[in-house]
Structure formats: structure tokens, C-alpha cells
Amino acid sequence: MDRILIANRGEIACRIIRSIQELGKQAIAVYSEADADAPHRHLANAAYPIGPAPAPQSYLNPDAILQAAADSGAAAIHPGYGFLSENAAFATQCGDAGIVFIGPSPATMQLMGNKAAARQLAQDAGVPVIPGSGQQPLDLEAAHKQATEIGYPVLLKAASGGGGIGMQAVTDPESLEKAFKTAQNRAKVAFGCADLYLEKYLVAPRHIEVQILGDTHGNLIHLYERECSIQRRHQKVIEEAPSFHLAQPVRTGLRDHMIQAALAVAAAVQYTNAGTVEFLVDEQDGFYFIEMNTRLQVEHTVTEMTLGADLVAEQIRIAEGQPLSWNQDDLQLHGAAIECRLYAEHPGKNFFPSPGQISALNLPSGPGIRIDSGISYGAQITPYYDPLLAKIIAHGCNRAVAIRRMQSALANTRIDGLHTNIALHQQIMDDPQFQAGAVDTDFLMRMLNP
């Protein structure tokens, strides 16, 4: 596996290229017409065009990507996150073409990609789940019945999707029909499947996830947890490791139970490669499985910083058939890390994407600071893709030091020519409630609407 193609773009493509090259392998990039001068193209050992700017004609086009793999002689494909990273059909196509897909098996991806089926699997494994409708897709009549039995508020979710896309919270029976149709339409557009399921809506929970790794030799380990509670429109904005909430001595038992639950879910599907098991935690510290992401997460960086690990390199080793590099006892947490996602978005327009050309750029550096970037001076940020520009990761001997380093890093960050969310991150870092670790999924709403 000397040549690996990255079926992605932006900061994650740049980050994967780095690990591939550090392993002494050749990194092959692909790029759309809009990314003809993008940094990931120039960082790679070779790069191949895959089509026009719209993602369905380029980064979501399996045939174009597989043709680039064949032309480049790539033995494997790393999908990154987003695009085709959780597409079981694409993983199968890779195998049929004799190319290694760096991720779990297509069967695992298909099972865990169906959120209702994954929920049932977790329940069968003895893992707590939020009361809900179960595996069968809902019609409107069944949704009314289930919502009445569970009790409002409830949450409608796409059965075949994730990332918060199409979620609809419903507070009363009168608004269910409209929310149901809206959720169906969004699910159909985003995932090609309008099936929905329904679950109890937890008010202001914490969102905590557990990173796991499995190899093809039957070894399965965890890499502790990440706190991902600071979100907007169900999209994560800031992540940290470890969870300040779970790190308190009084909650040692809760952390252990959540980790064991994550491993139970992974074991139930004989999981290989990197994956993340996600939970919600209520005010009484009850925790509930919500989904498993069968790919590398955007926020994997904070895990790497607190463990001194390279998850991408480990993914590649696992795909090559090697056993895990570590036993569970080898992995010990060191300090705390926080990640801020820098987006091209307009604070004055409800943080909607803000395309433009970068006219000035300064990204910070210093002790404990890591930058994962997919941008350069003069780059044109187009409306075709997710507006994530870069990630700042700050690590310190404890959470307070990590926060101070992040405050300094943000103060020394400059991205001109378009609107960004840098000021939002500064406001969060300065917030006394955030500094005290008092966060939940409604934190941003409260902070922005006092």
C-alpha cells in the first residue's frame, strides 16, 4: 500500500496527506475545477482532476474517483470525512476494483449508517437508548401514536443520515404534521431516503462521544472521550478532550460505563478501523446511545493531542492488516485539548456561509498550538463545499491552560476578505460558564440570546 489516494479536499485532505507521507508512502490528491489551485493539490505527491465544481460531479462521483485511483496506481483510498466516507456502496466499489477502502467493512457501514437499525443494535447489546420508535420507518399516523406514548417534546430524525441534517424538534401534536413533512423532504434531498424515526427529545443534554479503534485481529480499544456539546443547528462548533464533566472524580463510574457501552456497540458489529460512538447525557447523568460514525471525525485532533497518537496513520496500518499499535493500558491521557472550527460564515446573517477571497492570512503558532488548515493567501472560498477553513487546536497541562492558549491563538488569527466566526470563538472562550465547564447543547443559544 505504497500509494494512497485521498477522496477529499480542504483541511482534512491536507491532514491525511501529512500522515501518509510521514509513513513513507505516496499521497495522491484529487481536485475539482474549483480546487485547481487548492493547497491539498500541491501538498500531494501527485494530483488528478475529477470534474466540475459541484460535489455530485466531483467529490461525490465514485466513478471519477475510482478512475483517478486506477490512473495513479493507488492501492488504497482514504475517504476522510463527509462526501463518500460513510457510503457503503462506494466502499464495495473500491473492493470490487481491488482497492483497499481505509475504513470499516461495507456491511458495518450500511448497518450503522441506518440510525434506526444502529439504535436497535445498541439496545440488543444492553446499551441505553433514548425511548423512541425503533427500527421500522414511520408514517405520520404512527408518528402521532409514538409521540403520544413517549410524551412531547420529541425529535424527528432521518433514518439514513446524520450530522444533524433534517432534524426537527416537535413540542406538541399540532406541529407534528408540518415538522414530519419538512424532515422527510430534507432527508430525501440530503440522503436519498425519506424514512424517519422518532425519539424523545432531551432538553439541553451534553453530547459526549467515545473514540474506538479495532483491527482485523480481533483487538478493540477505546481512546477515551470527547465533549462536543457546543453546537449550532446540531452542528459541532467546539470540541474538547477529555470531557470536563466526565473527568471529575465523582463521575469516574459514569465515564467507565460510557466507555464500556461504546465498546459493546463496536464489538456487536465486529468493528474494524476508526469509529466514534456518540451519546447524550441528561441532567441526572443518564446516558443514551444516539449513533455511531463509521469514519474519522473532524474533532479527532483533540484525541491525538491528549494521547500523542496519530489516528490517520493507525487507520492505514489497520487497513494494511497490521495489529493495533497499542494495548489499552498503553493509552494514558495527558492534559486537555480544545478545538475551534474556523468557518467562512457571516455572524450578522445567522452564520450563513460567506464565500469570498482571502486577502490577508495569519494563522497562529506557539507552544501547544496545532493548526489543521486547508487554505492559503489569495484562496477563493467558493459556495460549493462546507465552509470550514481551518481548525485551531490548543493543548495544555490542564483545561485552564488550554483555554488560555486558545484565547491567545484566536487573538493572533487573521483571515480577511470574508466573514468568519473567529469572534464567536473568542466570545465562547471568554464566557465564565464555558470556563467553568457548564456546557450543553443549548449553550450557544443561551449565550447569543441572553
Side-chain angles (χ1 to χ4, degrees):
M1 238 166 72
D2 292 331
R3 294 169 69 83
I4 299 173
L5 183 142
I6 304 97
N8 219 299
R9 63 176 302 281
E11 66 85 16
I12 190 58
C14 296
R15 186 265 169 274
I16 294 169
I17 288 169
R18 183 172 68 247
S19 286
I20 291 172
Q21 292 174 339
E22 287 178 357
L23 289 171
K25 302 177 185 295
Q26 299 281 301
I28 311 301
V30 293
Y31 60 93
S32 70
E33 291 175 0
D35 283 338
D37 199 35
H40 76 278
R41 176 187 177 182
H42 301 295
L43 287 173
N45 299 94
Y48 290 76
I50 53 171
Q57 300 175 49
S58 50
Y59 298 105
L60 284 172
N61 184 341
D63 293 337
I65 290 170
L66 288 170
Q67 186 62 55
D71 292 344
S72 67
I77 290 177
H78 195 305
Y81 56 73
F83 294 131
L84 296 170
S85 63
E86 294 180 280
N87 189 308
F90 176 63
T92 298
Q93 284 181 273
C94 289
D96 292 344
I99 296 171
V100 175
F101 179 86
I102 299 177
S105 70
T108 296
M109 294 170 66
Q110 185 170 13
L111 174 60
M112 302 312 286
N114 184 308
K115 307 308 179 187
R119 181 183 182 280
Q120 187 62 53
L121 178 140
Q123 196 168 15
D124 292 343
V127 175
V129 299
I130 301 171
S133 60
Q135 190 169 346
Q136 295 302 317
L138 289 172
D139 57 25
L140 183 57
E141 182 180 353
H144 272 293
K145 182 180 178 181
Q146 288 286 342
T148 300
E149 291 177 356
I150 294 169
Y152 289 89
V154 296
L155 190 65
L156 292 167
K157 302 174 74 172
S160 298
I165 298 173
M167 284 187 187
Q168 292 288 306
V170 185
T171 58
D172 54 67
E174 290 71 28
S175 55
L176 180 62
E177 182 174 356
K178 180 179 179 181
F180 190 89
K181 291 178 180 178
T182 299
Q184 275 192 324
N185 290 337
R186 290 178 178 173
K188 179 66 175 178
V189 170
F191 309 114
C193 176
D195 291 346
L196 304 178
Y197 72 101
L198 177 149
E199 65 186 26
K200 180 69 177 176
Y201 181 61
L202 301 182
V203 178
R206 288 177 176 267
H207 187 142
I208 298 175
E209 61 191 27
V210 177
Q211 176 73 60
I212 62 96
L213 282 174
D215 64 21
T216 56
H217 303 271
N219 301 307
L220 184 65
I221 61 172
H222 71 84
L223 289 85
Y224 295 93
E225 81 284 347
R226 297 183 288 257
E227 175 93 40
C228 305
S229 296
I230 298 183
Q231 303 177 7
R232 186 180 60 253
R233 296 191 289 267
H234 303 291
Q235 298 287 326
K236 299 166 186 173
V237 176
I238 289 176
E239 304 94 356
E240 55 184 292
S243 163
F244 182 76
H245 188 69
L246 295 190
Q248 304 309 303
V250 70
R251 296 190 180 89
T252 300
L254 175 60
R255 168 188 266 171
D256 291 344
H257 288 150
M258 291 181 69
I259 286 172
Q260 291 308 310
L263 291 171
V265 170
V269 288
Q270 298 179 314
Y271 198 88
T272 59
N273 219 274
T276 307
V277 184
E278 306 207 358
F279 300 96
L280 294 181
V281 181
D282 65 23
E283 291 180 337
Q284 292 75 42
D285 281 343
F287 70 91
Y288 308 92
F289 169 86
I290 51 172
E291 65 180 355
M292 183 177 194
N293 288 309
T294 55
R295 55 170 169 79
L296 189 71
Q297 294 278 84
V298 179
E299 60 272 19
H300 74 279
T301 57
V302 291
T303 294
E304 292 183 327
M305 295 292 276
T306 52
L307 292 175
D310 184 334
L311 292 186
V312 173
E314 195 67 10
Q315 284 188 290
I316 294 168
R317 295 188 189 101
I318 292 169
E320 289 178 323
Q322 298 183 41
L324 291 173
S325 299
W326 316 285
N327 295 316
Q328 191 65 69
D329 292 342
D330 296 331
L331 296 170
Q332 301 296 324
L333 289 169
H334 299 284
I338 298 171
E339 174 183 277
C340 289
R341 303 187 187 190
L342 302 187
Y343 284 100
E345 54 188 19
H346 197 319
K349 295 184 177 179
N350 200 25
F351 294 96
F352 275 25
S354 176
Q357 186 173 28
I358 297 175
S359 59
L361 177 64
N362 182 71
L363 295 174
S365 60
I369 298 299
R370 165 178 166 177
I371 304 295
D372 280 19
S373 167
I375 58 175
S376 59
Y377 169 76
Q380 187 72 39
I381 307 305
T382 72
Y384 297 107
Y385 315 115
D386 184 271
L388 179 63
L389 301 173
K391 302 179 307 198
I392 302 177
I393 305 95
H395 178 261
C397 60
N398 56 45
R399 187 171 183 268
V401 172
I403 291 173
R404 288 196 295 271
R405 286 179 168 172
M406 182 62 80
Q407 289 171 319
S408 176
L410 291 167
N412 287 284
T413 300
R414 182 181 177 186
I415 306 175
D416 292 349
L418 38 70
H419 295 280
T420 73
N421 64 344
I422 294 172
L424 173 67
H425 286 298
Q426 291 175 307
Q427 186 178 353
I428 294 170
M429 290 298 125
D430 293 343
D431 188 276
Q433 293 298 306
F434 171 77
Q435 293 179 1
V439 298
D440 55 52
T441 55
D442 285 350
F443 172 88
L444 266 188
M445 181 180 67
R446 292 194 304 271
M447 189 188 79
L448 296 175
N449 302 282

